[in-house]
Every structure is written in C-alpha cells, then in structure tokens.
Amino acid sequence: MAIEFTKYHGLGNDFILIDNRSSSIPVLTPEQAVKLCDRHFGIGANGVIFSLPGQNGTDYTMRIFNSDGSEPEMCGNGIRCLATFLADLEGDTRNGDQYRIHTLAGVITLQLMPDGQVKVDMGLPRLLASEIPTNLCPANEKVINQPLEVAGKTWHVTCVSMGNPHCITFVDDVAAIPLEVIGSQFEHHPAFPQRTNTEFIEVVRRDYVKMRVWERGAGITLACGTGACASLVAGVLTGRCDDTATVELPGGSLQIEWSQEDQRVYMTGPTERVFTGKIG
Ligand code: ZDP
C-alpha cells in the first residue's frame, strides 16, 4: 500500500507528516519508524507524525514517533509542523485559525499567526520529581540546581516536564559542550526511568539564551520546542531569566513566554514545508 507523506521542519527539526484523518493507515511499528527516519535507507527525519481524528471534542489527534521508534508524549516543533500541515490539507475548507489537538500530554491549542508562524499554548510546566519522572529528589519535591554525576563530572541540573521529560543545565559556553560524547549518558542516566531530553543553556541576557539539545530517542537535533520551553522555565526557576525570552538554537530561534498570569507556557516559531512523496 503506497502511503503519501509530506516533509516539514521547524528550525531544522524535521518530520515526516502522514495524513491519517480517516484512520485508514495502520500505525507504524517502531522498526518501520526507524527505517523511515534513516537518512540513508529511508526518507530521513527526526521523527514521524500522524494526524488522526480528534477525541473528546478536539479537532484532531497527534501521534509522533522518534527516530529510534519510541513514542513520546509531546513535541513542540512537530506540533507546529502539524498545524501547518493541517492548514495546507484543509485549504479553503479551514474554519478559523485555531486547532485543538489531542496528544499523550493532553490537549494542546495551536494558533496560525498572520505572519505564517504558529503560536502554541504548551500548557502548564510540571515540576515535581514524580511528574518528570526522576528519582533525583523525593517525589513531591521540585528538582532545582541538583547535582548529577555524568561523564565523571558533577553537573547542576533542573528538571521540567512539558508532557515529556527535560533535564536542563546552565553552562558558560554552550559551543564547548562535547554533546556527541555525553548526550546519551544523560539520556540513559538511572535518575530518569523514562530516559530524558537534555538541554545545555548559555545565558546571554535575561531575555536571550543559547541552547543545544540531546533529544531522547533522536540524539543531537537542530532544535527542540518542548526543550526550549522547559529551559525558559528552568531559567526563571533559577533566577537567571525573565519570563519571556528568545531561545537561540542551532537551527534558528523560538520566542518563549512563561505567563505569570495563567502559569502556562507559550511558544511561537516558524515551520517550513519541504517536499511530498510516496512510501512503498
Ligand atoms: O521527548 C522526546 O522523546 C522528544 N525527542 C520528542 C520530540 C521533541 C521535539 N523535538 C520537540 O520539538 O519538542 C519534537
């Protein structure tokens, strides 16, 4: 069965989008996801995203598979790509510029902006050790500036969940971090029973930070939306950042706000459609 797909990216974080609003396509096996994401034997991408029918009053459902075949709860750059994908699919039949999407991390609301960017209500950050999850602290405590041994060095980390787990550490020079060497050691550290995404943050100003990321199930990527949100929250919790900042990533910048009014995190950024094709 030939399956049509469209390739999108958000700041170089790239995804294979498959329209399954009719639920006619069987969900991928992890092996199939790995093959599709392989940059030599497949299409090449950081992940595969399906649009599916909505649930409980939402417009649609999103399912995402990392390039290692694992299924994360949420993805920031990916859900922005999904918004543009749905808008492209619906064309003139689209009503309004908002989508409510069902994900494993809860209902996420997307806004298509007049300048082509997508603004996402990423919801409330989850801060308790049991919510990350991590065993770095007692379950009902927050993990802020806690010591963590990795690669023979003590790092001070802050943990935040945006539906998916993030471990953030602040460094003087983000470019100097040997990410390819230490990234997977953080990902698979026994402190994180469901593994973790890891962000290295250099604070340039209170409203401007540089970020590099090692993603759970994908390794080094050019950008991570949930990671940028988690890092801004960690910056506020540790007194390093204002509640609104630009997060500069290798693939480009995101605007992140942790609203002190409703305590929700808002992410705004671009997407780009690259090409379409057929699998099989
Ligand atoms: O939590 C995870 O396993 C992530 N690798 C999911 C993908 C996150 C993403 N890069 C993002 O932008 O949040 C898509």
Side-chain angles (χ1 to χ4, degrees), residues 10 13 15 46-47 49 64-68 70-80 122 162-166 187 194-197 213-219 221 223-228 254 267:
N13 194 195
F15 303 95
N46 293 132
I49 294 176
I64 170 172
F65 297 86
N66 282 318
S67 54
D68 74 345
S70 61
E71 182 173 1
E73 306 83 350
M74 197 12 215
C75 66
N77 292 321
I79 204 164
R80 290 202 322 279
M122 298 286 282
M162 294 306 299
N164 57 349
H166 294 272
E187 178 184 1
Q194 292 172 19
R195 300 188 284 160
T196 188
N197 299 284
V213 58
W214 176 279
E215 281 198 41
R216 175 182 69 170
T221 62
C224 180
T226 49
L254 289 170
M267 170 190 66

Side-chain angles (χ1 to χ4, degrees), residues 8-28:
Y8 283 80
H9 76 84
L11 304 177
N13 194 195
D14 56 347
F15 303 95
I16 298 161
L17 278 285
I18 297 175
D19 178 15
N20 201 8
R21 291 170 300 163
S22 60
S23 290
S24 58
I25 301 169
V27 169
L28 287 185

Side-chain angles (χ1 to χ4, degrees), residues 2 12 19 22 38 57 73 137 147 196 207-208 215 225 243-244 274 276-277 280:
D19 178 15
S22 60
D38 188 290
E73 306 83 350
C137 279
T196 188
D207 63 354
Y208 196 100
E215 281 198 41
D243 52 37
T244 299
V274 188
T276 62

